């Protein structure tokens, strides 16, 4: 008989997580990495910085769970109490570690800031705990063995948590692998959730080793597949790949990535491989398109820049959009979108240019040009293509959908067989 | 002696909430409405559809909490077990209610769908529970009194939950209003969490009616204050305002908002009131600064646009940065930042211009110009100011910190008494 898998609990600590404004997101990351080892989470608890409530949660977790991950409450402030309260629950001392204080002091020196007295608190650790180094902040993590239970204290800031998890927690939990788990994500744009569902409704897996989850974001649908095997990664992989193949047969026109890449990364990869350059001209998105493109490391290899043509004056003077065009068709029109794209393309001598102009709202809509009306244009060697859409949602969502549409247009062009072909020239 | 406020716990039930893909959001809504009555949540628990784990959570909640809201697990399927498991935990029977079955049948008839046999399960209620009608679905909610505890079972789909909460829960909890609750948020930039903490360490409230929580984001620190009063909203307000005043005395140079506004909103409000315009020139941020500025509805009133000067060619040709300057000092230099700012200011004839140039990484750093080195410049009627910073963090964080710094520079200028003054002219 194989042993039961461990009961795992994640405790997110912070009074702000009990307000209507904040959600614990760290636990999603921890869950993902545990799932990678075939381990599942049984309980998540969210508790404030109150000593009494924290105590209550630690006692409960110590009774019902074998592995306890705590997140947060390791900072230097008065209301960071995870260490103290857990030490009391375990009836252990807090021990001062001068080497940790030295590390913290060095970190502050590197940043050119003087350490505040409050940080000294972070050099106290729970007796007999192993210290998990923090490469991105002052709070060290702790790994505690209590009987046959493991208690792992992690810092709340995601950057600190992730780096610590990868470098110090992951190597220690490898040996607890109970399943082989393989994931695949299909990312799609250009259609909606119910349409995708109608195309694949008969493909939902009956096999309990397979899971299919569909998620919907503005301008993007994702299908997450997981396959589990007790015997081998190969088997888990084979399960997932068979399902993926069936899905791809139905969904090919909408899929832009099967490896987890964002749309801007896929576009960037194609531009790099084709040695082409890109410029943008953004009105209602104000810079979001360029921001997304430049989120990809190495984007300076293909992205030359662009113009945030928010006012009409900038459209005219920096992009060379004809004043007569704005007057006759309005700034939100296919004509102006096209002129913006060809304007920035010629000014920057880039191979491709994307332009966006629209009504992001909440104000500024009219019966003819309602909130959500957006024109996106692609200019390339062979001409200009333009699309008109009316996007649902609020200002932020409309901005996101607009950039998604613009990137999709470029991707479609880059993926088509005649991409880059001069009109009249054979591909 | 006044009674202690009730301990409130929300239990979200559903195995999907223990995956990396889903978060419980229903609890945010319940929290908000409870807060409106001065009631706060002490614990949130997330648990799957496993009988044993559910049992464990109900037992724990019945021990530590006075009010228990459960969300989800009331559906017709095999893995909807909230009713059954809670009935067992309370040692009560499940009672068949023909009137509920009739309601469900009627609902199906209305939708023109035939009821599945599984739905019959939803007509069983926990003995002595009050039924909360569901106007948007089949699952009725339940309100149970157990000793002096209240247990409220609500359906998971947000539309069903909200409607049931408003029509059946809200009227019943009105009389429990035990506190008046007032919130205030101080938002700060330009310094770090530990430094803020050191300035206010003696101001952490001892009064249990007050709560102070500090949160840290890239380039931004927030202090969230809540004040509670048993007698009046006025008293809660007075408590919070007194603490806020003390905090402001220490923190004035760093505070940019006491009303929850984002930095870009505060800057926008000041530009609007002073009737000034703004342009941007962005290198390493690629458009994020303009994106943030245009997230504010009405920003077209003061934001004219800008140039995403990612390549050197665009810096030279669209902004007029002297080639000699780039050659001598490099694109990441105070000289180029200044020229970018004055360049876009004169091209757009705007009152203010912000420019950013830096090394966002992960590649491209050198010993003299490491990853994180960022120059931000503000050009205005009276000249140019420039700041040099080395920001910690990854590419995304460095981009955020850079825009935060640029906006802070403008805010500082707009807030200073001589703002907008012509050199040589008396303010």
């Amino acid at each position: 008989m194989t042993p039961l898998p461990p009961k795992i609990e994640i405790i997110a600590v912070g009074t702000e997580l009990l307000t209507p404004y904040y959600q614990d997101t760290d636990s999603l990351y921890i869950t993902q990495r545990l799932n990678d080892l075939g381990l599942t989470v049984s309980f998540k608890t969210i508790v404030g910085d109150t000593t009494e409530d924290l105590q209550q949660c630690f006692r409960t977790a110590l009774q019902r769970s074998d592995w306890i991950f705590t997140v947060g409450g390791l900072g230097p402030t008065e209301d960071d109490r995870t260490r103290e309260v857990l030490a009391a629950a375990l009836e252990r001392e807090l021990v001062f570690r001068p080497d940790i204080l030295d590390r913290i002091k060095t970190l502050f020196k590197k940043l050119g800031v003087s350490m505040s007295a409050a940080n000294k608190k972070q050099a106290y650790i729970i007796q007999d705990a192993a210290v998990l180094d923090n490469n991105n902040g002052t709070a060290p993590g702790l790994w505690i063995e209590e009987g046959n239970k493991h208690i792992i204290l992690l810092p709340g800031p995601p950057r600190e948590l992730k780096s610590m998890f990868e470098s110090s927690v992951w190597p220690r939990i490898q040996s607890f692998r109970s399943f082989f788990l393989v994931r695949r994500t299909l990312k799609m744009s250009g259609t909606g959730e119910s349409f995708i569902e109608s195309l694949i409704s008969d493909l939902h897996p009956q096999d309990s080793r397979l899971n299919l989850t569909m998620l919907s974001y503005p301008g993007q649908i994702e299908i997450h597949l997981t396959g589990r095997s007790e015997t081998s990664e190969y088997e888990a992989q084979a399960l997932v790949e068979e399902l993926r193949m069936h899905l791809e047969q139905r969904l090919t026109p909408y899929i832009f990535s099967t490896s987890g890449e964002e749309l801007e990364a896929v576009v960037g990869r194609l531009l790099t491989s084709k040695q082409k350059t890109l410029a943008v001209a953004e009105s209602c998105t104000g810079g979001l398109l360029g921001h997304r493109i430049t989120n990809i490391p190495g984007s300076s290899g293909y992205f030359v820049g662009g113009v945030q043509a928010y006012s009409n004056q900038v459209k005219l003077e920096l992009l060379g959009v004809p004043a007569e065009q704005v007057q006759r068709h309005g700034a939100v029109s296919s004509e102006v979108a096209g002129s913006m794209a060809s304007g920035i393309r010629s000014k920057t001598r880039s191979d491709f240019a994307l332009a966006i102009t629209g009504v992001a709202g909440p104000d500024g809509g009219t019966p003819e040009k309602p909130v959500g009306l957006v024109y996106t244009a692609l200019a390339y060697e062979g001409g200009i293509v333009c699309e008109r859409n009316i996007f649902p949602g609020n200002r932020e969502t409309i901005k996101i959908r607009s950039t998604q549409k613009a990137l999709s247009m470029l991707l479609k062009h880059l993926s088509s067989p005649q991409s880059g072909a001069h009109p009249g020239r054979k591909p």
Side-chain angles (χ1 to χ4, degrees), chain A:
Chain A
M1 214 189 100
T2 49
L4 283 172
K7 281 269 177 204
I8 300 179
E9 176 160 0
I10 300 172
I11 303 179
V13 182
T15 300
E16 73 280 6
L17 300 173
L18 293 170
T19 68
Y21 312 119
Y22 294 93
Q23 283 202 279
D24 144 57
T25 51
D26 286 331
S27 71
L28 302 182
Y29 175 78
I30 297 175
T31 301
Q32 165 116 39
R33 293 303 268 149
L34 292 170
N35 287 178
D36 289 340
L37 294 176
L39 299 164
T40 54
V41 175
S42 293
F43 304 105
K44 294 207 276 188
T45 302
I46 295 159
V47 60
D49 303 313
T50 323
T51 300
E52 178 201 348
D53 292 349
L54 262 177
Q55 244 165 17
Q56 212 297 324
C57 287
F58 289 146
R59 276 201 307 268
T60 300
L62 285 164
Q63 277 164 28
R64 70 185 176 190
S65 303
D66 305 306
W67 291 20
I68 303 162
F69 291 87
T70 77
V71 180
L74 300 182
T77 72
E78 182 65 30
D79 54 10
D80 288 305
R81 296 178 188 158
T82 302
R83 268 179 307 255
E84 290 79 343
V85 175
L86 185 61
L90 296 173
E91 299 181 352
R92 298 198 195 184
E93 300 288 316
L94 283 173
V95 184
F96 176 65
R97 282 275 297 266
D99 57 318
I100 295 177
L101 190 62
D102 285 346
R103 273 191 62 118
I104 297 175
K105 279 183 178 159
T106 310
L107 185 75
F108 274 97
K109 203 172 278 171
K110 241 199 240 165
L111 296 171
V113 186
S114 68
M115 192 191 87
S116 104
N119 288 91
K120 198 182 166 192
K121 176 176 160 175
Q122 297 182 299
Y124 282 83
I125 71 158
I126 295 175
Q127 201 185 338
D128 298 329
V131 173
L132 311 176
D133 288 342
N134 188 335
N135 299 317
N136 294 299
T138 54
L142 296 178
W143 181 294
I144 298 161
E145 306 280 347
E146 174 79 3
N148 47 11
K149 292 179 190 287
H150 309 281
I151 309 162
I152 300 108
L153 279 63
L154 300 169
R159 213 170 64 93
E160 299 181 27
L161 170 94
K162 286 179 189 180
S163 152
M164 185 182 294
F165 196 96
E166 294 309 316
S167 63
S168 302
V169 178
W170 184 248
R172 286 166 201 251
I173 62 176
Q174 286 281 3
S175 59
F176 296 94
R177 177 189 288 282
S178 61
F179 287 98
F180 294 88
L181 192 138
V182 169
R183 289 175 201 284
R184 266 287 203 175
T185 302
L186 309 186
K187 296 193 180 184
M188 286 156 282
S189 67
T191 185
E193 192 175 10
S194 5
F195 183 68
I196 296 283
E197 178 58 36
S198 73
L199 291 180
I200 61 154
S201 58
D202 58 316
L203 293 181
H204 282 273
Q206 300 304 311
D207 189 331
S208 67
R209 295 170 300 173
L210 272 169
N211 182 274
L212 183 161
T213 304
M214 202 182 315
L215 299 177
S216 174
Y217 302 97
Q220 189 159 318
I221 308 287
E222 297 182 7
I223 292 182
H224 292 247
L225 305 177
T226 51
R228 270 211 299 210
S229 159
E230 285 168 29
T231 51
S232 72
E233 186 166 356
Y234 177 81
E235 189 184 66
Q237 183 94 39
L239 279 165
V240 166
E241 289 307 305
E242 201 199 330
L243 179 54
R244 178 186 64 78
M245 226 178 55
H246 289 301
L247 290 165
E248 276 201 43
Q249 277 167 4
R250 310 266 179 95
L251 303 173
T252 294
Y254 310 105
I255 295 173
F256 65 80
S257 160
T258 58
S259 62
E261 279 181 319
E262 294 299 332
L263 191 47
E264 54 268 37
V266 177
V267 165
R269 192 165 37 70
L270 287 170
L271 288 169
T272 304
S273 76
K274 291 175 190 274
Q275 296 186 282
K276 300 287 183 189
T277 56
L278 172 64
V280 299
E282 307 188 53
S283 183
C284 66
T285 48
L288 176 58
L289 180 57
H291 170 50
R292 286 185 64 180
I293 293 167
T294 59
N295 276 346
I296 306 303
S299 48
S300 56
Y302 49 85
F303 182 61
V304 299
V307 166
Q308 292 138 310
Y310 214 58
S311 71
N312 285 345
Q313 180 216 333
V314 170
K315 288 184 187 77
L316 271 51
E317 296 183 10
L318 290 189
L319 291 175
V321 174
E324 179 266 346
Q325 212 171 47
V326 174
Q327 231 150 28
R328 179 182 285 184
H329 306 286
V332 178
S333 62
S334 65
E335 289 80 2
V336 169
S339 294
M340 287 170 66
S342 62
I344 193 66
R345 180 169 178 267
S346 72
K347 293 234 181 251
T348 59
R349 298 183 297 284
S350 56
D351 298 304
F352 297 104
L354 291 170
I356 300 172
T357 180
V359 188
D363 305 317
T366 64
E368 299 81 46
K369 301 199 172 176
V371 170
L373 175 68
V374 176
Y375 291 91
T376 43
L378 164 68
Y380 64 107
E381 202 182 7
I384 300 170
V385 283
C386 185
E387 279 200 37
R388 175 187 187 273
N389 284 278
I390 298 180
F391 293 122
N394 60 16
R395 187 176 178 89
E396 198 188 331
T397 310
I398 291 168
K399 288 175 79 176
I400 297 172
R401 286 184 196 270
S402 303
T403 58
Q404 196 75 358
K405 175 54 71 182
L407 289 168
S408 298
M409 286 173 74
L410 178 56
L411 175 62
K412 197 171 155 191
H413 184 88
L414 290 169
S415 313
S416 71
Q418 74 280 17
S419 151
H422 196 278
R425 200 205 313 156
K426 292 253 177 208

